[in-house]
């Protein structure tokens, strides 16, 4: 097992990449705080907790809007107390919504930045304090290929993910002396609820598959496996960089 005895927080862990990651960390021996956003996701989050407990480690679900400072402070404090520390944070929670730039309301903009960027910052800061005061740790942000590929209709999303790239790099420099490694994983198209609008539309799905040299949309497990490795001692010399997991999407296959 890669992560025996480690204590993790995974945000947005009721579904998609967050769920797969929380379950994978549990299977690798970590105890996990399973963050979820609202009452609607409670049952799904509790199901993730049961899966992890069955694998033999501890887990608990914690409802928090990660863009709310006091909620994040409470979540990290409770994780540290209940698990006995926090040495791994997976900043996974994220939202996206297609809106043309010139029609984008301030509300649309703020909603995406609130979760994807401010939420990641708050969790990084609070969990980072616990790690810095203990034996160090690892922070993995689930970013996107849109931390470097522009995507019309998703300017707020791209802005949040691009910002996450330099937040990660700056944090990696600032926290290296405290034995905290900070990384991004940039997934391409993955089968998750965030992509439902594409997966449910055969034509749109086909268009996305055509953008991917490996010819298929990825699975959440293919991201979770990378989080487990990056968080483990096997990746002890890796910090300040982005691991792209996109089936080759960022090779721009349409550019001939
Ligand atoms: C988005 C997906 C999109 C993928 C590739 C991800 O960040 O969440 O909706 O399919 O990037 O464009």
């Amino acid at each position: 097992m890669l992560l025996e005895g480690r204590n993790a927080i995974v945000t947005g862990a009721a579904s998609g990449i967050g769920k797969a990651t929380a379950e994978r960390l549990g299977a690798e021996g970590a105890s996990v705080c399973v963050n979820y956003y609202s009452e609607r996701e409670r049952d799904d989050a509790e199901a993730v907790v049961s899966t992890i407990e069955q694998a033999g480690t501890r887990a608990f679900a914690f409802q928090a809007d990660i863009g709310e400072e006091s909620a994040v402070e409470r979540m990290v404090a409770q994780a540290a107390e209940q698990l006995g520390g926090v040495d791994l944070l997976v900043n996974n929670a994220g939202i996206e919504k297609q809106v043309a730039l010139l029609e984008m309301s301030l509300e649309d903009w703020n909603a995406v930045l609130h979760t994807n960027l401010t939420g990641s910052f708050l969790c990084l800061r609070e969990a980072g304090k616990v790690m810095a005061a203990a034996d160090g740790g690892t922070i993995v942000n689930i970013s996107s290929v849109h931390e470097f590929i522009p995507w019309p209709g998703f300017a707020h999303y791209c802005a949040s993910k691009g910002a996450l790239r330099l937040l990660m790099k700056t944090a990696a420099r600032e926290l290296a002396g405290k034995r905290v490694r900070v990384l991004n994983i940039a997934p391409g198209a993955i089968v998750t609820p965030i992509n439902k609008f594409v997966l449910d539309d055969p034509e749109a799905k086909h268009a996305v598959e055509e953008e991917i040299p490996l010819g298929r949309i990825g699975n959440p497990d293919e991201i979770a496996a990378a989080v487990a490795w990056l968080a483990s001692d096997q990746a002890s010399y890796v910090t300040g960089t982005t691991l792209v997991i996109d089936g080759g999407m960022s090779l721009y296959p349409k550019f001939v």
Side-chain angles (χ1 to χ4, degrees), residues 1-20:
M1 286 199 286
L2 285 174
L3 302 169
E4 193 120 41
R6 300 281 298 273
N7 298 313
I9 297 174
V10 182
T11 65
S15 66
I17 293 172
K19 169 183 153 80

PDB file of all heavy atoms in Angstrom, residues 1-20:
ATOM      1  N   MET A   1       0.834  -1.209   0.000  1.00  0.00           N
ATOM      2  CA  MET A   1       0.000   0.000   0.000  1.00  0.00           C
ATOM      3  C   MET A   1       0.869   1.259   0.000  1.00  0.00           C
ATOM      4  O   MET A   1       1.859   1.334   0.707  1.00  0.00           O
ATOM      5  CB  MET A   1      -0.921  -0.008   1.222  1.00  0.00           C
ATOM      6  CG  MET A   1      -2.066  -1.004   1.078  1.00  0.00           C
ATOM      7  SD  MET A   1      -3.425  -0.669   2.200  1.00  0.00           S
ATOM      8  CE  MET A   1      -2.702  -1.229   3.741  1.00  0.00           C
ATOM      9  N   LEU A   2       0.446   2.234  -0.784  1.00  0.00           N
ATOM     10  CA  LEU A   2       1.272   3.430  -0.974  1.00  0.00           C
ATOM     11  C   LEU A   2       1.149   4.451   0.152  1.00  0.00           C
ATOM     12  O   LEU A   2       2.042   5.265   0.354  1.00  0.00           O
ATOM     13  CB  LEU A   2       0.857   4.139  -2.274  1.00  0.00           C
ATOM     14  CG  LEU A   2       1.293   3.533  -3.601  1.00  0.00           C
ATOM     15  CD1 LEU A   2       0.650   4.300  -4.756  1.00  0.00           C
ATOM     16  CD2 LEU A   2       2.810   3.560  -3.717  1.00  0.00           C
ATOM     17  N   LEU A   3       0.005   4.440   0.866  1.00  0.00           N
ATOM     18  CA  LEU A   3      -0.281   5.581   1.752  1.00  0.00           C
ATOM     19  C   LEU A   3      -0.670   5.153   3.166  1.00  0.00           C
ATOM     20  O   LEU A   3      -1.470   5.822   3.830  1.00  0.00           O
ATOM     21  CB  LEU A   3      -1.407   6.434   1.138  1.00  0.00           C
ATOM     22  CG  LEU A   3      -1.131   6.980  -0.270  1.00  0.00           C
ATOM     23  CD1 LEU A   3      -2.398   7.581  -0.881  1.00  0.00           C
ATOM     24  CD2 LEU A   3      -0.024   8.036  -0.229  1.00  0.00           C
ATOM     25  N   GLU A   4      -0.091   4.081   3.619  1.00  0.00           N
ATOM     26  CA  GLU A   4      -0.404   3.544   4.947  1.00  0.00           C
ATOM     27  C   GLU A   4      -0.203   4.604   6.035  1.00  0.00           C
ATOM     28  O   GLU A   4       0.839   5.259   6.107  1.00  0.00           O
ATOM     29  CB  GLU A   4       0.536   2.362   5.227  1.00  0.00           C
ATOM     30  CG  GLU A   4       0.109   1.545   6.402  1.00  0.00           C
ATOM     31  CD  GLU A   4      -0.165   0.094   5.987  1.00  0.00           C
ATOM     32  OE1 GLU A   4       0.615  -0.436   5.184  1.00  0.00           O
ATOM     33  OE2 GLU A   4      -1.177  -0.440   6.469  1.00  0.00           O
ATOM     34  N   GLY A   5      -1.234   4.808   6.848  1.00  0.00           N
ATOM     35  CA  GLY A   5      -1.114   5.732   7.983  1.00  0.00           C
ATOM     36  C   GLY A   5      -1.252   7.202   7.630  1.00  0.00           C
ATOM     37  O   GLY A   5      -1.148   8.068   8.503  1.00  0.00           O
ATOM     38  N   ARG A   6      -1.500   7.525   6.377  1.00  0.00           N
ATOM     39  CA  ARG A   6      -1.635   8.938   5.993  1.00  0.00           C
ATOM     40  C   ARG A   6      -3.060   9.414   6.265  1.00  0.00           C
ATOM     41  O   ARG A   6      -3.996   8.626   6.306  1.00  0.00           O
ATOM     42  CB  ARG A   6      -1.300   9.102   4.496  1.00  0.00           C
ATOM     43  CG  ARG A   6       0.119   8.674   4.128  1.00  0.00           C
ATOM     44  CD  ARG A   6       1.149   9.702   4.486  1.00  0.00           C
ATOM     45  NE  ARG A   6       0.944  10.954   3.785  1.00  0.00           N
ATOM     46  CZ  ARG A   6       1.420  11.246   2.579  1.00  0.00           C
ATOM     47  NH1 ARG A   6       2.139  10.355   1.927  1.00  0.00           N
ATOM     48  NH2 ARG A   6       1.202  12.427   2.019  1.00  0.00           N
ATOM     49  N   ASN A   7      -3.203  10.739   6.447  1.00  0.00           N
ATOM     50  CA  ASN A   7      -4.513  11.329   6.737  1.00  0.00           C
ATOM     51  C   ASN A   7      -4.841  12.381   5.686  1.00  0.00           C
ATOM     52  O   ASN A   7      -4.116  13.363   5.533  1.00  0.00           O
ATOM     53  CB  ASN A   7      -4.504  11.970   8.125  1.00  0.00           C
ATOM     54  CG  ASN A   7      -4.247  10.939   9.205  1.00  0.00           C
ATOM     55  OD1 ASN A   7      -4.867   9.876   9.210  1.00  0.00           O
ATOM     56  ND2 ASN A   7      -3.310  11.228  10.103  1.00  0.00           N
ATOM     57  N   ALA A   8      -5.950  12.167   4.978  1.00  0.00           N
ATOM     58  CA  ALA A   8      -6.243  12.990   3.799  1.00  0.00           C
ATOM     59  C   ALA A   8      -7.567  13.731   3.915  1.00  0.00           C
ATOM     60  O   ALA A   8      -8.502  13.263   4.572  1.00  0.00           O
ATOM     61  CB  ALA A   8      -6.276  12.081   2.567  1.00  0.00           C
ATOM     62  N   ILE A   9      -7.635  14.869   3.245  1.00  0.00           N
ATOM     63  CA  ILE A   9      -8.909  15.545   2.979  1.00  0.00           C
ATOM     64  C   ILE A   9      -9.075  15.555   1.465  1.00  0.00           C
ATOM     65  O   ILE A   9      -8.140  15.943   0.747  1.00  0.00           O
ATOM     66  CB  ILE A   9      -8.903  17.001   3.483  1.00  0.00           C
ATOM     67  CG1 ILE A   9      -8.736  17.065   5.005  1.00  0.00           C
ATOM     68  CG2 ILE A   9     -10.194  17.729   3.067  1.00  0.00           C
ATOM     69  CD1 ILE A   9      -8.576  18.488   5.550  1.00  0.00           C
ATOM     70  N   VAL A  10     -10.240  15.123   0.993  1.00  0.00           N
ATOM     71  CA  VAL A  10     -10.540  15.222  -0.444  1.00  0.00           C
ATOM     72  C   VAL A  10     -11.789  16.082  -0.575  1.00  0.00           C
ATOM     73  O   VAL A  10     -12.846  15.748  -0.026  1.00  0.00           O
ATOM     74  CB  VAL A  10     -10.791  13.837  -1.078  1.00  0.00           C
ATOM     75  CG1 VAL A  10     -11.043  13.984  -2.578  1.00  0.00           C
ATOM     76  CG2 VAL A  10      -9.612  12.897  -0.817  1.00  0.00           C
ATOM     77  N   THR A  11     -11.690  17.189  -1.305  1.00  0.00           N
ATOM     78  CA  THR A  11     -12.868  18.053  -1.470  1.00  0.00           C
ATOM     79  C   THR A  11     -13.685  17.589  -2.673  1.00  0.00           C
ATOM     80  O   THR A  11     -13.147  17.010  -3.630  1.00  0.00           O
ATOM     81  CB  THR A  11     -12.463  19.530  -1.636  1.00  0.00           C
ATOM     82  OG1 THR A  11     -11.739  19.688  -2.863  1.00  0.00           O
ATOM     83  CG2 THR A  11     -11.612  20.015  -0.462  1.00  0.00           C
ATOM     84  N   GLY A  12     -14.985  17.836  -2.586  1.00  0.00           N
ATOM     85  CA  GLY A  12     -15.870  17.421  -3.682  1.00  0.00           C
ATOM     86  C   GLY A  12     -15.808  15.925  -3.895  1.00  0.00           C
ATOM     87  O   GLY A  12     -15.737  15.447  -5.035  1.00  0.00           O
ATOM     88  N   ALA A  13     -15.878  15.167  -2.797  1.00  0.00           N
ATOM     89  CA  ALA A  13     -15.587  13.733  -2.881  1.00  0.00           C
ATOM     90  C   ALA A  13     -16.841  12.860  -2.963  1.00  0.00           C
ATOM     91  O   ALA A  13     -16.754  11.642  -2.834  1.00  0.00           O
ATOM     92  CB  ALA A  13     -14.717  13.306  -1.700  1.00  0.00           C
ATOM     93  N   ALA A  14     -17.993  13.464  -3.205  1.00  0.00           N
ATOM     94  CA  ALA A  14     -19.228  12.662  -3.280  1.00  0.00           C
ATOM     95  C   ALA A  14     -19.410  12.023  -4.647  1.00  0.00           C
ATOM     96  O   ALA A  14     -20.194  11.088  -4.801  1.00  0.00           O
ATOM     97  CB  ALA A  14     -20.444  13.535  -2.943  1.00  0.00           C
ATOM     98  N   SER A  15     -18.697  12.521  -5.659  1.00  0.00           N
ATOM     99  CA  SER A  15     -18.888  11.987  -7.013  1.00  0.00           C
ATOM    100  C   SER A  15     -17.629  12.203  -7.850  1.00  0.00           C
ATOM    101  O   SER A  15     -16.690  12.886  -7.416  1.00  0.00           O
ATOM    102  CB  SER A  15     -20.080  12.686  -7.692  1.00  0.00           C
ATOM    103  OG  SER A  15     -19.761  14.051  -7.897  1.00  0.00           O
ATOM    104  N   GLY A  16     -17.637  11.605  -9.017  1.00  0.00           N
ATOM    105  CA  GLY A  16     -16.604  11.871 -10.022  1.00  0.00           C
ATOM    106  C   GLY A  16     -15.180  11.564  -9.573  1.00  0.00           C
ATOM    107  O   GLY A  16     -14.921  10.560  -8.898  1.00  0.00           O
ATOM    108  N   ILE A  17     -14.260  12.451  -9.952  1.00  0.00           N
ATOM    109  CA  ILE A  17     -12.842  12.241  -9.642  1.00  0.00           C
ATOM    110  C   ILE A  17     -12.608  12.252  -8.131  1.00  0.00           C
ATOM    111  O   ILE A  17     -11.790  11.491  -7.609  1.00  0.00           O
ATOM    112  CB  ILE A  17     -11.988  13.332 -10.342  1.00  0.00           C
ATOM    113  CG1 ILE A  17     -12.047  13.145 -11.869  1.00  0.00           C
ATOM    114  CG2 ILE A  17     -10.552  13.305  -9.843  1.00  0.00           C
ATOM    115  CD1 ILE A  17     -11.406  14.285 -12.669  1.00  0.00           C
ATOM    116  N   GLY A  18     -13.345  13.088  -7.402  1.00  0.00           N
ATOM    117  CA  GLY A  18     -13.177  13.164  -5.945  1.00  0.00           C
ATOM    118  C   GLY A  18     -13.545  11.855  -5.267  1.00  0.00           C
ATOM    119  O   GLY A  18     -12.826  11.371  -4.382  1.00  0.00           O
ATOM    120  N   LYS A  19     -14.660  11.275  -5.685  1.00  0.00           N
ATOM    121  CA  LYS A  19     -15.094   9.987  -5.124  1.00  0.00           C
ATOM    122  C   LYS A  19     -14.049   8.894  -5.416  1.00  0.00           C
ATOM    123  O   LYS A  19     -13.625   8.165  -4.522  1.00  0.00           O
ATOM    124  CB  LYS A  19     -16.448   9.602  -5.733  1.00  0.00           C
ATOM    125  CG  LYS A  19     -16.935   8.196  -5.470  1.00  0.00           C
ATOM    126  CD  LYS A  19     -18.269   7.987  -6.219  1.00  0.00           C
ATOM    127  CE  LYS A  19     -18.529   6.549  -6.594  1.00  0.00           C
ATOM    128  NZ  LYS A  19     -19.029   5.726  -5.527  1.00  0.00           N
ATOM    129  N   ALA A  20     -13.649   8.794  -6.676  1.00  0.00           N
ATOM    130  CA  ALA A  20     -12.668   7.762  -7.055  1.00  0.00           C
ATOM    131  C   ALA A  20     -11.368   7.951  -6.277  1.00  0.00           C
ATOM    132  O   ALA A  20     -10.736   6.983  -5.850  1.00  0.00           O
ATOM    133  CB  ALA A  20     -12.403   7.820  -8.562  1.00  0.00           C
TER     134      ALA A  20
END
